[in-house]
Amino acid sequence: MSLVITGTVAFDAIETPFGKTDRIVGGAATYAGLAASYFYDKVKIVSVVGDDFGQEEISILENHGINVDGLQIKKGEKSFFWAGKYHTDMNSRDTLATELNVLADFDPLIPESYQDCEFLLLGNLTPQIQQTTIERLRNKPKLVVLDTMNFWMDVALDDLKQVLTKVDVLTINDAEARQLSGEYSLVKAAKKILTMGPKYLIIKKGEHGALLFGEDQIFSAPALPLAEVFDPTGAGDTFAGGFIGYLAKVGTINFNNMKNAIIYGSALASFCVEKFGTRGLEDLSAEKIAKRVLEFVSLSSFVIEQ
Amino acid sequence: MSLVITGTVAFDAIETPFGKTDRIVGGAATYAGLAASYFYDKVKIVSVVGDDFGQEEISILENHGINVDGLQIKKGEKSFFWAGKYHTDMNSRDTLATELNVLADFDPLIPESYQDCEFLLLGNLTPQIQQTTIERLRNKPKLVVLDTMNFWMDVALDDLKQVLTKVDVLTINDAEARQLSGEYSLVKAAKKILTMGPKYLIIKKGEHGALLFGEDQIFSAPALPLAEVFDPTGAGDTFAGGFIGYLAKVGTINFNNMKNAIIYGSALASFCVEKFGTRGLEDLSAEKIAKRVLEFVSLSSFVIEQ
């Protein structure tokens, strides 16, 4: 049994008010894979890079026990590249460059060794690639989580709605939930989105935490107030990877486990934003994660005497 | 012993996407007083109205056992009037009219019967009136809570900083915390503001809940996701009134009681926004409030197995 993650593996150049990087390893599948690897030891990646992505870069994944049999390396081509600059508030950013390169005609090939997939994370990519990934798995996974963004709602809404009928959990932000549903109230938005296919909806609100809707329940998860956010890149992917990694570890899908999975995903995301790129995710430990999760507990717990 | 609330008692005309009212009773002290009255039976108001504010209007307060000896009625003058229109998102609004009337030269006279004040809420008013109220109490109250807004930071920052040295708890929203401190990170903002006088800072984030800083701890309170928000007017005042009313009831000031006070304040605010004006606060009961508080518990509780 395994956890398969489809998403980008790429190079990023990032500028924030705190500093600047040239070309560092990034991509949704990279962040999600690293996060998931702290919970589950059979993480497998489906992605594509060019031959500018060398063994040194691949080692970042392999060092965490991530299976890269499904990482296609295109000879003579270049990896996906994104450059962005964050504003002072760290909540908004300008994209300075998007070079699709190998991503332009990415065909998500599933190695035979991935057919034991029990947990599937479809990282933010074209809905068509997400759909193809699902179709190529012979057995229906126990849990399919899909992450997407407003861009796909703008340019490929029909494809997105099609793939949504096949997923169990959708993760989007509050503006995207409003866009997808046409409802301003998040309660109404969630109600509508839960008729589109997903059984659970996670609304990511960045510094304001996250909301989980499903099984006629709502859970509000806090975000850890941080003194410094160095680089928000990959926080959403890290959250999704930690979320599904935790669920793969516990094995049982229910609302309570989902709540804890959101806390663990949020904890991993809080490490992610403390350093540039993937560095905050590279040398964590079960102890560090447990300690961070306890901060979430003390942050949000209260006892009402009846 | 008593809970004294200084703030406006006024008429509002409100328009939201759900409807419109002509002149209804409003004002910070009205909302805060009604909310506090569900927890504590010695609530006393310091405010001023004109003689357009008749017995029918005063009854709204008196029916909740609120002492109005400190409500000055100015013969031949008109009450403070505010008219506003909320946008579709309900988070932003246009002010259509602000008629200060009696508020222009409001002198907060403290009746002798109010000198037993143990809990003091200084509702959103000029910092000078807030300062005068404190000075006119012969005994230092056990707890002073001050609510303010960006307007006073713009036009009376020195006065505001002066009165802040005399208060225990400051309640403002996230943008105001950033403005007052000059720090974007709320953690850094709180650290700075807690050197200005208050021992506790509550940052109100509307639909995203609230943060409490103090005693080197942080508490993140959720907001109840609501399907419909009919009228957000008075939500912040209601929150502050519920908060201090709960603390007056339990009597002991510590971080844990403050956490619960925030949950009770948020519960009262959630009732407030469900109806126009003060209507959502007019016929609550201990049972209804307890039930609503349980929704906050189930919304935010999770159990991590160590």
Side-chain angles (χ1 to χ4, degrees), chain A residues 157-219:
Chain A
L157 185 60
D158 288 344
D159 287 352
L160 178 61
K161 284 188 170 172
Q162 179 57 33
V163 69
L164 281 183
T165 65
K166 310 284 184 198
V167 313
D168 301 296
V169 183
L170 171 64
T171 70
I172 46 181
N173 70 29
D174 39 0
E176 290 157 353
R178 286 171 171 139
Q179 180 174 349
L180 182 60
S181 65
E183 294 282 355
Y184 186 80
S185 151
L186 294 181
V187 173
K188 289 186 177 179
K191 205 170 170 183
K192 215 175 221 182
I193 291 169
L194 292 177
T195 67
M196 297 180 180
K199 288 185 277 293
Y200 301 92
L201 169 67
I202 295 172
I203 298 181
K204 300 173 287 185
K205 303 193 295 173
E207 66 162 337
H208 302 302
L211 294 171
L212 167 66
F213 294 85
E215 300 182 17
D216 288 323
Q217 295 178 69
I218 309 177
F219 173 57

Side-chain angles (χ1 to χ4, degrees), chain A residues 220 228 259-260 299 301 303, chain B residues 188 220 259-260 299 301 303:
Chain A
S220 170
E228 306 279 12
K259 294 202 291 189
N260 286 358
L299 175 68
S301 65
V303 178
Chain B
K188 288 186 178 178
S220 170
K259 293 203 289 189
N260 286 0
L299 175 68
S301 65
V303 178

Side-chain angles (χ1 to χ4, degrees), chain B residues 143-163:
Chain B
L143 187 78
V144 180
V145 177
L146 183 143
D147 187 41
T148 188
M149 67 185 296
N150 54 353
F151 180 74
W152 306 117
M153 297 174 194
D154 292 339
V155 306
L157 185 59
D158 288 344
D159 287 350
L160 178 60
K161 284 189 171 172
Q162 179 58 32
V163 69

Side-chain angles (χ1 to χ4, degrees), chain A residues 46-156:
Chain A
V46 176
S47 193
V48 63
V49 290
D51 58 9
D52 53 350
F53 203 89
Q55 188 51 46
E56 198 187 330
E57 284 80 19
I58 292 174
S59 297
I60 294 179
L61 299 168
E62 286 182 333
N63 289 345
H64 282 78
I66 297 169
N67 185 325
V68 292
D69 291 352
L71 178 64
Q72 304 167 47
I73 302 173
K74 299 283 186 184
K75 290 249 165 70
E77 294 190 45
K78 283 171 115 183
S79 302
F80 175 54
F81 174 72
W82 176 81
K85 182 178 174 174
Y86 289 86
H87 303 160
T88 317
D89 67 7
M90 293 298 236
N91 279 325
S92 53
R93 66 187 186 188
D94 293 328
T95 290
L96 303 177
T98 307
E99 297 170 12
L100 284 182
N101 299 323
V102 291
L103 211 62
D105 53 1
F106 173 40
D107 184 33
L109 300 174
I110 311 289
E112 188 56 31
S113 63
Y114 283 32
Q115 288 295 345
D116 63 352
C117 170
E118 207 179 11
F119 290 83
L120 175 63
L121 173 58
L122 300 164
N124 176 33
L125 269 175
T126 73
Q128 188 54 61
I129 292 173
Q130 295 176 317
Q131 175 85 29
T132 303
T133 304
I134 294 177
E135 285 166 2
R136 287 182 179 166
L137 289 169
R138 286 195 296 275
N139 304 309
K140 191 176 153 37
K142 193 164 171 175
L143 188 78
V144 180
V145 177
L146 184 142
D147 187 41
T148 190
M149 67 186 295
N150 54 351
F151 180 73
W152 305 117
M153 297 174 193
D154 293 337
V155 305

